[in-house]
PDB file of all heavy atoms in Angstrom:
ATOM      1  N   ASP A 399      -2.122  17.100   1.363  1.00 96.00           N
ATOM      2  CA  ASP A 399      -0.935  17.287   0.527  1.00 96.00           C
ATOM      3  C   ASP A 399      -0.117  18.435   1.121  1.00 96.00           C
ATOM      4  O   ASP A 399      -0.543  19.585   1.102  1.00 96.00           O
ATOM      5  CB  ASP A 399      -1.362  17.624  -0.904  1.00 96.00           C
ATOM      6  CG  ASP A 399      -0.169  17.762  -1.844  1.00 96.00           C
ATOM      7  OD1 ASP A 399       0.975  17.600  -1.386  1.00 96.00           O
ATOM      8  OD2 ASP A 399      -0.388  18.044  -3.037  1.00 96.00           O
ATOM      9  N   ASN A 401       3.349  18.394   0.415  1.00 95.00           N
ATOM     10  CA  ASN A 401       4.648  18.057  -0.172  1.00 95.00           C
ATOM     11  C   ASN A 401       5.097  18.926  -1.341  1.00 95.00           C
ATOM     12  O   ASN A 401       6.175  18.712  -1.880  1.00 95.00           O
ATOM     13  CB  ASN A 401       4.624  16.588  -0.607  1.00 95.00           C
ATOM     14  CG  ASN A 401       4.477  15.651   0.573  1.00 95.00           C
ATOM     15  OD1 ASN A 401       3.456  15.709   1.267  1.00 95.00           O
ATOM     16  ND2 ASN A 401       5.470  14.860   0.845  1.00 95.00           N
ATOM     17  N   SER A 402       4.285  19.911  -1.744  1.00 92.00           N
ATOM     18  CA  SER A 402       4.623  20.686  -2.935  1.00 92.00           C
ATOM     19  C   SER A 402       4.998  22.137  -2.647  1.00 92.00           C
ATOM     20  O   SER A 402       4.879  23.001  -3.512  1.00 92.00           O
ATOM     21  CB  SER A 402       3.462  20.624  -3.928  1.00 92.00           C
ATOM     22  OG  SER A 402       3.241  19.289  -4.321  1.00 92.00           O
ATOM     23  N   GLY A 403       5.451  22.392  -1.426  1.00 92.00           N
ATOM     24  CA  GLY A 403       5.978  23.707  -1.091  1.00 92.00           C
ATOM     25  C   GLY A 403       7.470  23.608  -0.845  1.00 92.00           C
ATOM     26  O   GLY A 403       8.075  22.536  -1.023  1.00 92.00           O
ATOM     27  N   VAL A 404       8.070  24.705  -0.464  1.00 89.00           N
ATOM     28  CA  VAL A 404       9.483  24.703  -0.109  1.00 89.00           C
ATOM     29  C   VAL A 404       9.713  23.743   1.066  1.00 89.00           C
ATOM     30  O   VAL A 404       8.925  23.720   1.998  1.00 89.00           O
ATOM     31  CB  VAL A 404       9.935  26.130   0.277  1.00 89.00           C
ATOM     32  CG1 VAL A 404      11.306  26.124   0.915  1.00 89.00           C
ATOM     33  CG2 VAL A 404       9.917  27.020  -0.958  1.00 89.00           C
ATOM     34  N   ILE A 405      10.751  22.934   0.978  1.00 86.00           N
ATOM     35  CA  ILE A 405      11.069  21.994   2.051  1.00 86.00           C
ATOM     36  C   ILE A 405      11.394  22.789   3.312  1.00 86.00           C
ATOM     37  O   ILE A 405      12.269  23.648   3.286  1.00 86.00           O
ATOM     38  CB  ILE A 405      12.251  21.091   1.661  1.00 86.00           C
ATOM     39  CG1 ILE A 405      11.914  20.349   0.362  1.00 86.00           C
ATOM     40  CG2 ILE A 405      12.592  20.114   2.774  1.00 86.00           C
ATOM     41  CD1 ILE A 405      13.106  19.638  -0.270  1.00 86.00           C
ATOM     42  N   ARG A 412      10.194  18.913   8.457  1.00 92.00           N
ATOM     43  CA  ARG A 412      10.781  18.148   7.361  1.00 92.00           C
ATOM     44  C   ARG A 412      10.425  16.670   7.481  1.00 92.00           C
ATOM     45  O   ARG A 412      10.063  16.023   6.507  1.00 92.00           O
ATOM     46  CB  ARG A 412      12.308  18.334   7.393  1.00 92.00           C
ATOM     47  CG  ARG A 412      12.974  18.089   6.062  1.00 92.00           C
ATOM     48  CD  ARG A 412      14.462  18.018   6.173  1.00 92.00           C
ATOM     49  NE  ARG A 412      15.092  19.313   6.252  1.00 92.00           N
ATOM     50  CZ  ARG A 412      16.372  19.519   5.891  1.00 92.00           C
ATOM     51  NH1 ARG A 412      17.119  18.518   5.455  1.00 92.00           N
ATOM     52  NH2 ARG A 412      16.897  20.715   5.990  1.00 92.00           N
ATOM     53  N   ASP A 416       8.293  14.444   4.849  1.00 95.00           N
ATOM     54  CA  ASP A 416       8.827  13.185   4.320  1.00 95.00           C
ATOM     55  C   ASP A 416       7.897  12.014   4.629  1.00 95.00           C
ATOM     56  O   ASP A 416       7.579  11.207   3.754  1.00 95.00           O
ATOM     57  CB  ASP A 416      10.208  12.891   4.936  1.00 95.00           C
ATOM     58  CG  ASP A 416      11.324  13.632   4.215  1.00 95.00           C
ATOM     59  OD1 ASP A 416      11.012  14.425   3.307  1.00 95.00           O
ATOM     60  OD2 ASP A 416      12.494  13.425   4.567  1.00 95.00           O
ATOM     61  N   GLY A 419       4.818  11.854   2.578  1.00 97.00           N
ATOM     62  CA  GLY A 419       5.077  11.270   1.264  1.00 97.00           C
ATOM     63  C   GLY A 419       5.175   9.751   1.320  1.00 97.00           C
ATOM     64  O   GLY A 419       4.593   9.045   0.495  1.00 97.00           O
ATOM     65  N   GLY A 422       1.800   8.357   2.280  1.00 98.00           N
ATOM     66  CA  GLY A 422       0.890   8.599   1.155  1.00 98.00           C
ATOM     67  C   GLY A 422       1.118   7.606   0.019  1.00 98.00           C
ATOM     68  O   GLY A 422       0.164   7.101  -0.570  1.00 98.00           O
ATOM     69  N   GLN A 423       2.395   7.327  -0.286  1.00 98.00           N
ATOM     70  CA  GLN A 423       2.689   6.341  -1.340  1.00 98.00           C
ATOM     71  C   GLN A 423       2.170   4.956  -0.950  1.00 98.00           C
ATOM     72  O   GLN A 423       1.631   4.226  -1.781  1.00 98.00           O
ATOM     73  CB  GLN A 423       4.196   6.270  -1.605  1.00 98.00           C
ATOM     74  CG  GLN A 423       4.734   7.477  -2.366  1.00 98.00           C
ATOM     75  CD  GLN A 423       6.182   7.266  -2.825  1.00 98.00           C
ATOM     76  OE1 GLN A 423       6.504   6.249  -3.409  1.00 98.00           O
ATOM     77  NE2 GLN A 423       7.036   8.228  -2.548  1.00 98.00           N
ATOM     78  N   GLU A 434      -7.058  13.021  -6.336  1.00 97.00           N
ATOM     79  CA  GLU A 434      -6.463  14.277  -5.888  1.00 97.00           C
ATOM     80  C   GLU A 434      -7.550  15.341  -5.967  1.00 97.00           C
ATOM     81  O   GLU A 434      -8.245  15.450  -6.982  1.00 97.00           O
ATOM     82  CB  GLU A 434      -5.292  14.670  -6.792  1.00 97.00           C
ATOM     83  CG  GLU A 434      -4.613  15.931  -6.271  1.00 97.00           C
ATOM     84  CD  GLU A 434      -3.513  16.456  -7.181  1.00 97.00           C
ATOM     85  OE1 GLU A 434      -3.399  16.010  -8.328  1.00 97.00           O
ATOM     86  OE2 GLU A 434      -2.778  17.345  -6.724  1.00 97.00           O
TER      87      GLU A 434
ATOM     88  N   GLY B 142       6.431  16.635  -5.863  1.00 96.00           N
ATOM     89  CA  GLY B 142       6.756  17.142  -4.545  1.00 96.00           C
ATOM     90  C   GLY B 142       7.740  16.235  -3.822  1.00 96.00           C
ATOM     91  O   GLY B 142       8.154  15.184  -4.325  1.00 96.00           O
ATOM     92  N   GLN B 143       8.084  16.671  -2.622  1.00 94.00           N
ATOM     93  CA  GLN B 143       8.980  15.924  -1.746  1.00 94.00           C
ATOM     94  C   GLN B 143       8.412  14.523  -1.478  1.00 94.00           C
ATOM     95  O   GLN B 143       7.229  14.389  -1.169  1.00 94.00           O
ATOM     96  CB  GLN B 143       9.071  16.750  -0.443  1.00 94.00           C
ATOM     97  CG  GLN B 143      10.089  16.324   0.536  1.00 94.00           C
ATOM     98  CD  GLN B 143      11.498  16.519  -0.004  1.00 94.00           C
ATOM     99  OE1 GLN B 143      11.714  16.993  -1.113  1.00 94.00           O
ATOM    100  NE2 GLN B 143      12.459  16.115   0.788  1.00 94.00           N
ATOM    101  N   LYS B 144       9.246  13.493  -1.625  1.00 95.00           N
ATOM    102  CA  LYS B 144       8.856  12.095  -1.360  1.00 95.00           C
ATOM    103  C   LYS B 144       7.602  11.683  -2.140  1.00 95.00           C
ATOM    104  O   LYS B 144       6.696  11.035  -1.603  1.00 95.00           O
ATOM    105  CB  LYS B 144       8.607  11.876   0.139  1.00 95.00           C
ATOM    106  CG  LYS B 144       9.839  11.930   1.002  1.00 95.00           C
ATOM    107  CD  LYS B 144      10.603  10.636   0.969  1.00 95.00           C
ATOM    108  CE  LYS B 144      11.902  10.773   1.746  1.00 95.00           C
ATOM    109  NZ  LYS B 144      12.815   9.677   1.485  1.00 95.00           N
ATOM    110  N   SER B 145       7.563  12.113  -3.398  1.00 97.00           N
ATOM    111  CA  SER B 145       6.409  11.766  -4.231  1.00 97.00           C
ATOM    112  C   SER B 145       6.633  10.463  -4.993  1.00 97.00           C
ATOM    113  O   SER B 145       5.712   9.914  -5.586  1.00 97.00           O
ATOM    114  CB  SER B 145       6.138  12.894  -5.232  1.00 97.00           C
ATOM    115  OG  SER B 145       7.282  13.088  -6.059  1.00 97.00           O
ATOM    116  N   GLY B 146       7.885   9.995  -4.988  1.00 96.00           N
ATOM    117  CA  GLY B 146       8.208   8.795  -5.760  1.00 96.00           C
ATOM    118  C   GLY B 146       8.703   9.122  -7.156  1.00 96.00           C
ATOM    119  O   GLY B 146       8.858   8.223  -7.989  1.00 96.00           O
ATOM    120  N   GLU B 177      22.147  14.206   7.179  1.00 67.00           N
ATOM    121  CA  GLU B 177      20.838  13.672   6.797  1.00 67.00           C
ATOM    122  C   GLU B 177      20.804  13.399   5.296  1.00 67.00           C
ATOM    123  O   GLU B 177      20.309  12.380   4.845  1.00 67.00           O
ATOM    124  CB  GLU B 177      19.724  14.662   7.175  1.00 67.00           C
ATOM    125  CG  GLU B 177      18.344  14.015   7.176  1.00 67.00           C
ATOM    126  CD  GLU B 177      17.236  15.045   7.248  1.00 67.00           C
ATOM    127  OE1 GLU B 177      17.508  16.194   7.672  1.00 67.00           O
ATOM    128  OE2 GLU B 177      16.110  14.706   6.862  1.00 67.00           O
ATOM    129  N   ARG B 181      20.326   9.894   3.131  1.00 66.00           N
ATOM    130  CA  ARG B 181      19.376   9.745   2.027  1.00 66.00           C
ATOM    131  C   ARG B 181      20.056   9.215   0.773  1.00 66.00           C
ATOM    132  O   ARG B 181      19.542   8.360   0.073  1.00 66.00           O
ATOM    133  CB  ARG B 181      18.758  11.098   1.658  1.00 66.00           C
ATOM    134  CG  ARG B 181      17.688  11.560   2.583  1.00 66.00           C
ATOM    135  CD  ARG B 181      17.050  12.783   1.975  1.00 66.00           C
ATOM    136  NE  ARG B 181      16.243  13.468   2.964  1.00 66.00           N
ATOM    137  CZ  ARG B 181      15.187  14.179   2.671  1.00 66.00           C
ATOM    138  NH1 ARG B 181      14.832  14.323   1.411  1.00 66.00           N
ATOM    139  NH2 ARG B 181      14.498  14.771   3.599  1.00 66.00           N
ATOM    140  N   ASP B 255       8.843  19.801  -7.124  1.00 96.00           N
ATOM    141  CA  ASP B 255       7.793  20.814  -7.116  1.00 96.00           C
ATOM    142  C   ASP B 255       7.832  21.519  -5.756  1.00 96.00           C
ATOM    143  O   ASP B 255       7.548  20.911  -4.731  1.00 96.00           O
ATOM    144  CB  ASP B 255       6.433  20.149  -7.327  1.00 96.00           C
ATOM    145  CG  ASP B 255       5.308  21.179  -7.392  1.00 96.00           C
ATOM    146  OD1 ASP B 255       5.583  22.384  -7.277  1.00 96.00           O
ATOM    147  OD2 ASP B 255       4.146  20.764  -7.576  1.00 96.00           O
ATOM    148  N   VAL B 256       8.225  22.768  -5.751  1.00 95.00           N
ATOM    149  CA  VAL B 256       8.264  23.549  -4.504  1.00 95.00           C
ATOM    150  C   VAL B 256       7.373  24.785  -4.636  1.00 95.00           C
ATOM    151  O   VAL B 256       7.398  25.684  -3.806  1.00 95.00           O
ATOM    152  CB  VAL B 256       9.698  24.017  -4.163  1.00 95.00           C
ATOM    153  CG1 VAL B 256      10.591  22.835  -3.866  1.00 95.00           C
ATOM    154  CG2 VAL B 256      10.294  24.874  -5.286  1.00 95.00           C
ATOM    155  N   ASN B 257       6.548  24.822  -5.691  1.00 94.00           N
ATOM    156  CA  ASN B 257       5.866  26.064  -6.074  1.00 94.00           C
ATOM    157  C   ASN B 257       4.428  26.199  -5.621  1.00 94.00           C
ATOM    158  O   ASN B 257       3.791  27.217  -5.886  1.00 94.00           O
ATOM    159  CB  ASN B 257       5.934  26.210  -7.602  1.00 94.00           C
ATOM    160  CG  ASN B 257       7.351  26.379  -8.097  1.00 94.00           C
ATOM    161  OD1 ASN B 257       8.166  25.479  -7.934  1.00 94.00           O
ATOM    162  ND2 ASN B 257       7.665  27.524  -8.656  1.00 94.00           N
ATOM    163  N   SER B 258       3.899  25.201  -4.920  1.00 92.00           N
ATOM    164  CA  SER B 258       2.483  25.255  -4.570  1.00 92.00           C
ATOM    165  C   SER B 258       2.221  25.439  -3.074  1.00 92.00           C
ATOM    166  O   SER B 258       1.164  25.066  -2.566  1.00 92.00           O
ATOM    167  CB  SER B 258       1.771  23.996  -5.088  1.00 92.00           C
ATOM    168  OG  SER B 258       1.882  23.922  -6.496  1.00 92.00           O
ATOM    169  N   VAL B 271      12.327  29.387  -5.369  1.00 95.00           N
ATOM    170  CA  VAL B 271      10.985  29.007  -5.838  1.00 95.00           C
ATOM    171  C   VAL B 271      10.743  29.582  -7.233  1.00 95.00           C
ATOM    172  O   VAL B 271      10.317  28.875  -8.149  1.00 95.00           O
ATOM    173  CB  VAL B 271       9.906  29.498  -4.840  1.00 95.00           C
ATOM    174  CG1 VAL B 271       8.506  29.338  -5.427  1.00 95.00           C
ATOM    175  CG2 VAL B 271      10.011  28.733  -3.531  1.00 95.00           C
ATOM    176  N   LYS B 292       2.611  12.137  -8.062  1.00 97.00           N
ATOM    177  CA  LYS B 292       1.990  12.313  -6.739  1.00 97.00           C
ATOM    178  C   LYS B 292       1.769  10.932  -6.143  1.00 97.00           C
ATOM    179  O   LYS B 292       1.212  10.053  -6.828  1.00 97.00           O
ATOM    180  CB  LYS B 292       0.625  12.998  -6.880  1.00 97.00           C
ATOM    181  CG  LYS B 292       0.698  14.414  -7.418  1.00 97.00           C
ATOM    182  CD  LYS B 292       0.138  15.406  -6.422  1.00 97.00           C
ATOM    183  CE  LYS B 292       0.499  16.813  -6.815  1.00 97.00           C
ATOM    184  NZ  LYS B 292       0.034  17.792  -5.853  1.00 97.00           N
TER     185      LYS B 292
END
Side-chain angles (χ1 to χ4, degrees):
Chain A
D399 183 0
N401 295 62
S402 299
V404 168
I405 303 169
R412 203 191 280 204
D416 277 4
Q423 286 190 49
E434 184 185 12
Chain B
Q143 189 66 1
K144 290 280 175 194
S145 60
E177 196 192 340
R181 282 188 194 209
D255 183 0
V256 295
N257 295 63
S258 299
V271 170
K292 295 241 167 183

